[in-house]
Amino acid sequence: MLRSLHMKLVMIMVLLILSLMTVVGAFLINSVVAFYLNDFYTQIGTVVGDRDLYRDLTQETAAELAGEVSGVEMLDQVLGAFAGELGVNGSNRNYYILDESGAYLAGTDDEYGPKLEYTENLLAVIQDRGVVGDKSNVAADYMDVAIPVDRGDGQYIIYIRDNRDTVDELNNQLFILIMQALVFGLVISVLLSFLLSKTMVTPIQRLTHGAERVAGGDFSDKLDVTSRDEIGVLTNTFNDMAGQLRDTLQQVENERNKLDTLFLHMTDGVVAFSSEGEVIHSNPAAADMLHTAIDEHTRYQDLFEDIASLDSVLAAPDYLEGEREEGERYLELLLAPFDRENQAGALVVIHDVTAQRKNEEMRREFVANVSHELRTPLTNIRSYAETLSENAGAMPPNTEKKFLGVILNESDRMTHIVQDLLTLSRFDSGHSELKLGRFSFTGAINDLYNAVYMEAQKHDHTVELKLEPGLPEIVADRERILQVMMNIVSNAIKYTPNGGHIVISAGRTAQQVWMEVADNGIGIPKEDRGRIFERFYRVDKARSRESGGTGLGLSIAKEIIDRHQGVITTVDKEEPGLTIRMELKIEGPGHG
Ligand code: ADP
């Protein structure tokens, strides 16, 4: 209760009024007393200083000298006559006629007169008649003046004393008045402080509600600024702060969204575990790679215990590495501890290295293939050459010629292989630029026809051309495209028994031209068709080698067509024979 602003304000006002009234009261009461004292001594001083009174008091009258009246009676009469001016009223202010030792002789208060106490002023006169006892004393509860009077019949002291009842009464009334004012002031101050606190507290309460709303993440409304005082400034500042907070939160949210999106779509799998092994975070790639659902119930032990224990990951200085085969996939795992924002745990990053592995495997296979392909002709050359050198001059010339022919053939084949390999490696390293130019597609096919015609004739093949009329000019590397076409048609000739039928057809679509070469030869089993574009792949090695093939022709063809952003495939057709289709962009690579 005391903590509320209402009560604090009430307390402040009450304390303020109390202290104010105390100060004012004390000041007032003191002033009244001081005024009275001052007034008393001024009045008595003025009266006593009166020449008439002084003469009357000190000079003996004729009656007195005649002994008709005593000196005391005379003094009494004179003082009685001046009673009004002296303010003597017989109740709170009296005069007393005393002898030189202070004993009471006469006065207006016979009751108290004989019991008069020796006040400081009285004593001063008794001791030294040369002075007037008129020292004021605020602390005393009386005011008095003692005046020595010497006359013919003796020495007297006129003593005037006021018991200050009037002042006390006035003070009492003042006190009561102050108390009433205090109560009244207190009531008003309490009411005022409630009113005041209301005007102060209401905007503060509104601010508090606003702050609570903002803390709850609701930035929809701005607070109204209703005043231009400090609270108005505070409300303005609060609105600014809330605006900035909203912008900052928005930025953070955007960043988080970006990160979430990145995390969600990254190809590497990521799973984060708490130090107790519970999943904190995981992305779809991780579940996909591990072939398992990952949710809050999944534990580290369920997924990676075989790679490394959680404790060993948490204790690792850097990270641990692991590998796993998941179906057809090779996964590489990095397990690292993390300790951030009071949360420690382990992070597992899963990297799919299947393609990499396959590439490595292919490279190994390729190297093995190359060595194998080169070793065969080399072995042949060596053995024929050896035989020739061992039997130099002793061989029939025919056989010798035949042997030399084999050696020449084999070295040609080697040259062929090395040339093809060079071509491929130039493609692989990106050093082989296409020489693009515009040329007639029909013209190129006619050139192809003319080039292969003789060879086909040798094998009694019939070659049929089926070209759509009006084929367009295309943008491509003419020489290379012709090389591909020749390769396809040569294969058709090679892998078709003599007397076969080869059809070369061509046409166009909106953006492309196509060419198909169909033969009725030995064909390829469906399941192997996809592989004929692989390097060194040959369905029948012996036959291919016999016909001078290297197994690289179609892979070079595919590289060339890929470079042109075209397509080369086998056509899904029932046997006999094989159909190869090639598609090229009319406007060349980079268009459409
Ligand atoms: P090669 O130099 O051995 O002919 P290619 O790369 O040109 O090499 O062809 C790869 C393999 O595809 C060949 O060895 C052959 O087995 C098969 N092949 C290619 N064209 C045909 C075809 N028209 N008919 C049957 N088999 C074919």
Side-chain angles (χ1 to χ4, degrees):
M1 181 70 178
L2 258 177
R3 286 200 184 152
S4 80
L5 205 57
H6 279 302
M7 282 323 288
K8 276 185 185 146
L9 266 172
V10 171
M11 290 299 291
I12 288 170
M13 292 294 258
V14 166
L15 286 176
L16 199 75
I17 294 286
L18 270 178
S19 50
L20 196 72
M21 292 312 272
T22 312
V23 171
V24 169
F27 184 73
L28 262 180
I29 287 171
N30 263 336
S31 301
V32 168
V33 171
F35 175 77
Y36 252 82
L37 278 174
N38 195 31
D39 186 53
F40 173 77
Y41 287 103
T42 316
Q43 191 179 17
I44 304 297
T46 319
V47 178
V48 171
D50 191 312
R51 278 168 179 265
D52 293 344
L53 178 60
Y54 191 70
R55 191 194 58 227
D56 292 352
L57 283 176
T58 48
Q59 277 186 17
E60 287 172 288
T61 56
E64 213 184 327
L65 288 173
E68 288 166 16
V69 286
S70 68
V72 175
E73 279 169 343
M74 205 52 226
L75 283 176
D76 199 13
Q77 274 178 23
V78 173
L79 286 171
F82 278 87
E85 283 171 59
L86 288 167
V88 171
N89 53 16
S91 58
N92 60 313
R93 191 178 295 182
N94 291 289
Y95 65 79
Y96 305 88
I97 301 163
L98 312 174
D99 67 11
E100 66 203 299
S101 66
Y104 179 69
L105 300 172
T108 48
D109 185 7
D110 289 335
E111 196 187 324
Y112 186 65
K115 295 182 281 186
L116 266 182
E117 68 203 271
Y118 289 98
T119 64
E120 200 186 335
N121 283 337
L122 190 51
L123 273 175
V125 176
I126 292 171
Q127 282 160 10
D128 180 4
R129 293 198 61 80
V131 297
V132 174
D134 60 354
K135 280 217 179 92
S136 66
N137 183 359
V138 182
D141 57 355
Y142 57 87
M143 306 179 284
D144 63 349
V145 177
I147 309 150
V149 174
D150 296 340
R151 33 188 304 130
D153 67 334
Q155 295 184 324
Y156 300 94
I157 298 170
I158 308 292
Y159 183 61
I160 299 166
R161 178 189 166 99
D162 189 314
N163 63 8
R164 282 175 53 169
D165 276 357
T166 325
V167 191
D168 289 346
E169 204 175 307
L170 200 69
N171 276 347
N172 279 344
Q173 275 180 9
L174 252 180
F175 185 72
I176 290 168
L177 207 71
I178 288 168
M179 278 303 163
Q180 284 172 344
L182 181 69
V183 172
F184 194 62
L186 281 180
V187 172
I188 289 184
S189 73
V190 168
L191 284 176
L192 259 179
S193 56
F194 267 108
L195 268 178
L196 205 69
S197 68
K198 197 133 193 72
T199 56
M200 283 170 69
V201 168
T202 311
I204 292 178
Q205 276 174 342
R206 278 202 0 254
L207 258 177
T208 313
H209 289 318
E212 277 167 3
R213 256 198 4 250
V214 168
D218 175 8
F219 295 98
S220 52
D221 285 331
K222 269 192 165 188
L223 291 178
D224 288 338
V225 182
T226 49
S227 60
R228 288 161 71 178
D229 56 10
E230 284 84 348
I231 292 192
V233 174
L234 181 62
T235 313
N236 251 334
T237 315
F238 177 82
N239 279 338
D240 287 351
M241 186 203 73
Q244 280 190 2
L245 194 65
R246 185 195 51 220
D247 292 349
T248 313
L249 275 180
Q250 191 67 49
Q251 275 175 12
V252 172
E253 179 78 12
N254 285 348
E255 286 304 314
R256 221 189 57 192
N257 281 348
K258 261 192 242 166
L259 276 180
D260 275 355
T261 316
L262 195 79
F263 190 61
L264 208 66
H265 295 110
M266 67 192 281
T267 44
D268 280 355
V270 179
V271 195
F273 296 94
S274 70
S275 51
E276 277 76 45
E278 289 145 355
V279 170
I280 305 171
H281 229 55
S282 81
N283 65 351
D288 181 48
M289 286 182 190
L290 297 171
H291 288 301
T292 175
I294 301 176
D295 56 27
E296 68 270 26
H297 304 298
T298 316
R299 300 191 59 79
Y300 175 89
Q301 288 78 359
D302 305 334
L303 298 178
F304 303 114
E305 191 64 33
D306 56 320
I307 311 276
S309 74
L310 181 59
D311 288 340
S312 60
V313 177
L314 292 175
D318 200 1
Y319 60 85
L320 303 179
E321 282 178 311
E323 271 185 15
R324 176 182 287 178
E325 242 182 278
E326 201 73 56
E328 298 231 307
R329 281 171 160 180
Y330 293 99
L331 304 179
E332 203 174 74
L333 298 117
L334 295 180
L335 305 95
F338 67 86
D339 192 353
R340 207 165 47 94
E341 288 169 13
N342 303 330
Q343 191 177 33
L347 189 75
V348 182
V349 179
I350 311 157
H351 189 51
D352 189 342
V353 289
T354 315
Q356 215 171 304
R357 287 287 166 86
K358 281 209 172 131
N359 267 343
E360 275 167 25
E361 219 166 275
M362 269 167 62
R363 209 172 36 236
R364 267 202 301 274
E365 214 172 278
F366 181 72
V367 172
N369 276 333
V370 170
S371 344
H372 179 79
E373 291 298 328
L374 290 177
R375 202 167 49 227
T376 318
L378 263 178
T379 319
N380 281 345
I381 290 171
R382 191 184 161 76
S383 52
Y384 279 96
E386 241 172 28
T387 319
L388 275 175
S389 85
E390 276 166 14
N391 304 294
M395 278 178 103
N398 262 357
T399 321
E400 214 175 73
K401 206 172 173 193
K402 208 172 124 196
F403 276 25
L404 283 171
V406 172
I407 290 173
L408 276 176
N409 262 344
E410 289 298 287
S411 54
D412 275 354
R413 213 158 76 80
M414 274 175 67
T415 313
H416 209 143
I417 292 175
V418 171
Q419 265 168 358
D420 280 357
L421 280 173
L422 263 176
T423 311
L424 274 174
S425 89
R426 259 193 236 120
F427 277 124
D428 286 346
S429 59
H431 286 316
S432 184
E433 290 293 318
L434 295 177
K435 289 185 195 119
L436 294 179
R438 200 174 280 277
F439 61 90
S440 157
F441 192 53
T442 315
I445 294 176
N446 282 327
D447 284 358
L448 162 76
Y449 180 79
N450 294 333
V452 296
Y453 182 75
M454 290 299 289
E455 182 70 13
Q457 285 264 303
K458 264 195 223 161
H459 294 275
D460 289 335
H461 296 317
T462 50
V463 180
E464 192 183 341
L465 263 188
K466 280 191 193 168
L467 305 186
E468 276 180 15
L471 284 178
E473 289 196 329
I474 63 164
V475 176
D477 185 331
R478 191 176 195 278
E479 211 173 299
R480 289 256 160 84
I481 294 297
L482 215 59
Q483 183 187 344
V484 174
M485 290 173 167
M486 295 272 275
N487 190 278
I488 299 170
V489 180
S490 304
N491 278 346
I493 294 170
K494 262 196 291 189
Y495 300 109
T496 304
N498 286 354
H501 185 59
I502 296 165
V503 182
I504 303 172
S505 44
R508 70 167 289 178
T509 57
Q511 310 278 342
Q512 292 177 325
V513 289
W514 58 265
M515 181 191 91
E516 277 185 12
V517 177
D519 63 57
N520 59 350
I522 57 169
I524 302 177
K526 250 189 190 156
E527 61 273 18
D528 291 334
R529 281 183 196 164
R531 300 193 59 193
I532 57 170
F533 299 103
E534 285 175 19
R535 294 174 185 188
F536 291 116
Y537 181 79
R538 283 167 300 191
V539 180
D540 180 346
K541 289 194 195 264
R543 189 185 178 121
S544 161
R545 213 169 282 138
E546 226 170 67
S547 55
T550 59
L552 292 172
L554 282 180
S555 34
I556 292 175
K558 183 160 167 50
E559 283 291 342
I560 293 170
I561 298 300
D562 281 351
R563 285 291 161 112
H564 282 84
Q565 293 170 4
V567 179
I568 180 164
T569 53
T570 54
V571 178
D572 224 356
K573 256 191 203 164
E574 287 308 311
E575 297 190 34
L578 182 78
T579 305
I580 302 263
R581 180 183 173 92
M582 176 184 92
E583 290 168 10
L584 285 170
K585 289 179 181 178
I586 294 173
E587 287 307 318
H591 286 82

